[in-house]
Amino acid sequence: MKLVNFTLFNRTRCIAVRRFFEQTEAVRRTLVALLVALTFIFASIWALTQKNELEPVIAVFVVLITILQGLPAVVATICPHPLMSAVILELSMASHQWKNQFMDLYLGGLGWKANSGIPEDIWDALAASAAEIPYTDDNMMKGRYLTQNTNKIFVDNLVTLADLYGDQFSPDLRLKILSTISRVRFSNSRFPHFEEPWLKIFAEKGLDRRAHFGQHFAELVKYIGELERMVDDLKKQHKQDDQ
């Protein structure tokens, strides 16, 4: 899913716009409180007198309150926070760190990328290679480490960034981050099904879970790769804005 660039100003103007709204935030809140009070007063008078000419006045106050309340969200949408470039970089680094750890565990490290002859976006090739990972005791041990350490660190990083800066993210990006967190956690919960006790249970039902071992990691690569591609689009947009 390609993100739409809502940044209407360059970075320098964005900083100026945000500073203006930050400096006038107290005025905005005062106006909202005043309009709420006036709306309550006119609504009370209207209720007592039933004078129809008061209805348009009340409607105008309600519209003004709505506009003033929505201004911070509008500013955040059309003019992202100056720190957002750094936050986007952190999101990208979280995905790259996970990818590098996965390659170290299962594909021999960065040498796999260098020798594969594939372009910069390697996620499809990585998923294809992950699907071919066989079920062995050594790969199971690596999978436990990935699940208990690498995946946990990755999810913790996403949760931290979402908690600190989630209100600055676009709805699409926020949803993708939450979806990725959910899918990685679900993947972690499914991994124990490859342990011996569960393998026996599945075997009794005529299912060979070992055959799905590589696909388990291919799906994980796909989920994280989708997030990284979305973040990469954002990095390109911010780079264009700075030019």
Side-chain angles (χ1 to χ4, degrees):
M1 181 183 298
K2 187 173 179 59
L3 291 178
V4 178
N5 184 6
F6 289 108
T7 307
L8 302 183
F9 309 104
N10 62 31
R11 198 58 43 83
T12 302
R13 290 177 182 173
C14 270
I15 293 174
V17 169
R18 280 192 165 273
R19 283 178 178 171
F20 171 77
F21 277 96
E22 288 171 358
Q23 292 169 356
T24 58
E25 177 62 14
V27 175
R28 185 189 70 84
R29 295 191 179 203
T30 301
L31 286 175
V32 169
L34 178 61
L35 287 171
V36 169
L38 289 174
T39 302
F40 177 77
I41 292 172
F42 276 89
S44 299
I45 296 173
W46 178 83
L48 293 173
T49 63
Q50 292 293 313
K51 292 184 178 180
N52 293 334
E53 62 268 19
L54 293 179
E55 288 182 325
V57 178
I58 297 172
V60 170
F61 286 160
V62 171
V63 170
L64 289 175
I65 291 170
T66 303
I67 292 174
L68 288 173
Q69 284 288 77
L71 274 179
V74 172
V75 174
T77 300
I78 66 174
C79 205
H81 197 280
L83 292 178
M84 195 48 54
S85 290
V87 176
I88 290 171
L89 180 60
E90 288 296 319
L91 279 171
S92 181
M93 286 297 296
S95 300
H96 279 287
Q97 288 170 356
W98 184 93
K99 178 183 66 180
N100 291 340
Q101 183 71 76
F102 182 83
M103 289 191 297
D104 285 342
L105 286 172
Y106 284 111
L107 301 176
L110 295 176
W112 171 82
K113 177 181 178 181
N115 297 326
S116 59
I118 51 182
E120 183 178 352
D121 186 350
I122 68 170
W123 290 96
D124 287 340
L126 190 62
S129 296
E132 301 299 323
I133 296 174
Y135 181 94
T136 65
D137 290 341
D138 183 54
N139 284 340
M140 272 295 296
M141 182 175 66
K142 294 175 181 177
R144 293 187 193 100
Y145 179 86
L146 187 80
T147 300
Q148 298 170 10
N149 296 276
T150 307
N151 287 0
K152 183 180 183 303
I153 292 172
F154 176 67
V155 167
D156 287 347
N157 287 338
L158 293 189
V159 170
T160 298
L161 291 172
D163 287 345
L164 292 176
Y165 306 103
D167 60 333
Q168 302 294 332
F169 295 154
S170 69
D172 285 343
L173 180 59
R174 188 161 57 248
L175 180 61
K176 179 59 71 176
I177 291 173
L178 295 177
S179 175
T180 303
I181 291 172
S182 176
R183 286 172 168 177
V184 174
R185 285 174 172 169
F186 179 66
S187 178
N188 289 348
S189 70
R190 288 176 57 200
F191 185 77
H193 290 174
F194 294 105
E195 300 288 356
E196 197 61 36
W198 279 98
L199 291 177
K200 293 179 180 179
I201 294 174
F202 282 111
E204 292 173 357
K205 298 180 180 181
L207 301 174
D208 182 10
R209 285 290 296 170
R210 293 180 179 86
H212 301 283
F213 187 73
Q215 191 59 38
H216 173 87
F217 296 110
E219 292 176 0
L220 192 57
V221 169
K222 177 184 175 183
Y223 301 149
I224 298 175
E226 288 175 353
L227 174 63
E228 168 57 27
R229 283 166 173 156
M230 181 175 282
V231 172
D232 190 54
D233 283 344
L234 276 175
K235 284 198 300 182
K236 292 177 182 177
Q237 291 173 12
H238 277 246
K239 185 176 181 180
Q240 291 174 355
D241 294 336
D242 286 333
Q243 293 176 348

